[in-house]
Amino acid sequence: MSAPFEILGTDHVGFIVGNAKQAAVYYQERFGFEPVAYKGLETGSRDRTCWVLRQGKITLVLQTPMTRDHADIAHLAKHGDAVRDLAFLVDDVRKAWETTTARGAVSVMEPTVLEDEHGKVVLATIATYGDTHHSFVQRDGYRGAFMPGYESYTANKPAVSAGLEFIDHVVGNQGDGEMEQVATWYENVFGFHRIWTIDDKDVSTAHTSLRSVVVANENEYVKMPINEPADGLKKSQIQEYVEANYGAGVQHVAMYTHDIVATISKLSANGVEFLQVPDTYYDDLLDRVGDIEEDIKELQKYGILVDRDDQGYLLQLFSKPVQDRPTLFYEIIERKGARSFGKGNFKALFESIEREQERRGNL
Ligand code: FE2
């Protein structure tokens, strides 16, 4: 199926959090995001406060409900701090909304024009898996800090970029047996295509395994692996997520850098905690992945993982969860030709995750 409407890329990732002001500081100090826009009581927004942070082409919007009867309160109570909205940049919001809703997507907000002295933005929103939304954003050359309703913001202390450039992929965890219907939904509703798949025979440890299908839009700027738990001897990390999140949701956001060693060294110095694989991971690394440009000692110093596919190799590293619940985490990724997602690292990685699960009493 060819694309029924064009998606230019990811516009922003929207979160509902308990305290957006403090979450903004976390993303600034730990990950190097610059706070660029704000809306809240001072701008006339009485029911919600939003902080917008940016690094490279990555925009995060942190939103906190301000009234006890706000609709987002239920989301916060159910999921804790979590991703609410994976917003796509399009050149025609009405077409995107009409096409997806005609194909069965549930509308959350009809196309709406927002306007201020900097221009206009058109927005619409549909629902996807769990309580996650997809907004469509049409910017038409909008010149303001983010969107009408927001004021630009300059922090007293500027952020120091960690070199994060754009979102490489966003992973959605589903409940048991739900992966296929969600992947099919993206094919039918968005015209996405499948670019990669793994099953439980590819990826399993003694304890846990998963299945995953990756769907992507036509230009493959939007790539969305869809996971479900597979039966293991003990509880799958996907199942742990689904229980902690009370349902499906965004598991991780992968952010691209063209120099992963430099990026990870900054993030580590900022205090970001990453999953660590045993030092033995590096013993036979070159046998597994062949020649790479990076110095293995440097990779080992930061615990950076490497995998190769038939088109090249990739380097990646995963953070620990960034909130109290074992739900959302981040991946840092650099691609040297590879278009896959690091299957060769899953075993070492899962064993690392399982050590964390064990400590949480969730294995
Ligand atoms: Fe990933």
Side-chain angles (χ1 to χ4, degrees):
M1 193 183 303
S2 70
F5 61 95
E6 194 178 0
I7 295 178
L8 305 170
T10 303
D11 187 85
H12 64 272
V13 183
F15 300 74
I16 296 173
V17 298
N19 187 339
K21 183 171 191 166
Q22 291 190 4
V25 175
Y26 177 85
Y27 281 105
Q28 176 176 347
E29 295 293 326
R30 288 280 199 265
F31 285 91
F33 281 85
E34 185 80 58
V36 294
Y38 167 83
K39 91 175 167 187
L41 294 174
E42 297 82 351
T43 71
S45 173
R46 303 205 64 82
D47 69 334
R48 74 194 70 180
T49 296
C50 300
W51 290 85
V52 181
L53 296 103
R54 189 166 291 144
Q55 184 169 182
K57 292 178 177 170
I58 308 167
T59 303
L60 309 180
V61 180
L62 308 168
Q63 175 166 316
T64 292
M66 295 281 279
T67 56
R68 69 178 181 183
D69 56 353
H70 193 285
D72 289 353
I73 292 286
H75 193 279
L76 199 50
K78 183 176 174 187
H79 304 295
D81 287 9
V83 172
R84 168 60 139 179
D85 191 357
L86 183 55
F88 297 136
L89 183 66
V90 299
D91 59 8
D92 189 341
V93 159
R94 178 156 290 280
K95 187 175 178 192
W97 179 84
E98 282 177 352
T99 305
T100 50
T101 54
R103 292 171 173 219
V106 173
S107 175
V108 175
M109 188 179 80
E110 293 184 16
T112 304
V113 179
L114 308 173
E115 221 165 348
D116 68 8
E117 69 271 27
H118 305 295
K120 114 189 149 159
V121 169
V122 191
L123 266 185
T125 305
I126 61 168
T128 179
Y129 56 78
D131 293 318
T132 314
H133 291 166
H134 288 306
S135 284
F136 300 116
V137 184
Q138 177 185 333
R139 296 196 163 274
D140 290 339
Y142 181 74
R143 301 175 307 280
F146 179 58
M147 278 187 197
Y150 288 80
E151 285 182 356
S152 67
Y153 179 86
T154 305
N156 284 342
K157 180 186 166 200
V160 180
S161 170
L164 299 172
E165 295 171 43
F166 56 83
I167 290 174
D168 185 89
H169 60 274
V170 177
V171 178
N173 276 350
Q174 313 302 321
D176 201 7
E178 294 172 357
M179 172 191 76
E180 186 56 38
Q181 72 190 55
V182 172
T184 303
W185 186 88
Y186 279 103
E187 290 178 302
N188 293 340
V189 171
F190 279 84
F192 283 6
H193 59 284
R194 297 180 187 222
I195 57 172
W196 201 67
T197 177
I198 53 169
D199 66 25
D200 44 335
K201 284 178 282 300
D202 291 324
V203 180
S204 63
T205 64
H207 296 315
T208 76
S209 59
L210 65 72
R211 285 181 284 268
S212 187
V213 169
V214 184
V215 292
N217 75 322
E218 197 165 41
N219 64 18
E220 298 187 2
Y221 287 177
V222 174
K223 294 184 282 294
M224 300 179 47
I226 306 294
N227 293 342
E228 69 178 5
D231 290 337
L233 293 176
K234 292 189 178 177
K235 187 185 290 178
S236 163
Q237 50 160 310
I238 312 302
Q239 188 60 29
E240 184 196 36
Y241 173 100
V242 169
E243 289 176 14
N245 190 57
Y246 292 90
V250 171
Q251 179 213 37
H252 74 265
V253 177
M255 303 188 287
Y256 183 90
T257 169
H258 76 274
D259 186 350
I260 196 166
V261 172
T263 292
I264 297 294
S265 94
K266 283 180 189 150
L267 296 178
S268 296
N270 291 347
V272 175
E273 293 181 303
F274 293 102
L275 287 174
Q276 293 298 320
V277 293
D279 269 349
T280 52
Y281 173 88
Y282 296 92
D283 292 350
D284 58 349
L285 182 65
L286 292 184
D287 297 336
R288 280 186 286 122
V289 302
D291 282 343
I292 55 173
E293 292 169 17
E294 292 74 13
D295 177 0
I296 295 233
K297 288 236 161 26
E298 284 277 282
L299 301 181
Q300 184 165 5
K301 179 176 168 193
Y302 296 110
I304 295 167
L305 310 175
V306 191
D307 192 28
R308 183 178 287 279
D309 63 21
D310 53 357
Q311 299 183 73
Y313 67 100
L314 60 81
L315 305 111
Q316 62 187 169
L317 189 54
F318 297 83
S319 80
K320 292 186 179 182
V322 293
Q323 59 291 302
D324 297 315
R325 299 192 201 192
T327 48
L328 178 73
F329 59 88
Y330 289 92
E331 173 182 351
I332 312 301
I333 184 167
E334 177 179 357
R335 294 183 182 278
K336 295 270 178 88
R339 293 174 65 220
S340 55
F341 296 84
K343 186 162 79 181
N345 288 323
F346 282 18
K347 189 170 178 355
L349 198 61
F350 286 12
E351 284 167 353
S352 175
I353 291 173
E354 284 162 9
R355 286 192 293 276
E356 299 288 318
Q357 270 183 279
E358 183 94 65
R359 291 177 58 217
R360 293 192 284 260
N362 282 343
L363 191 61

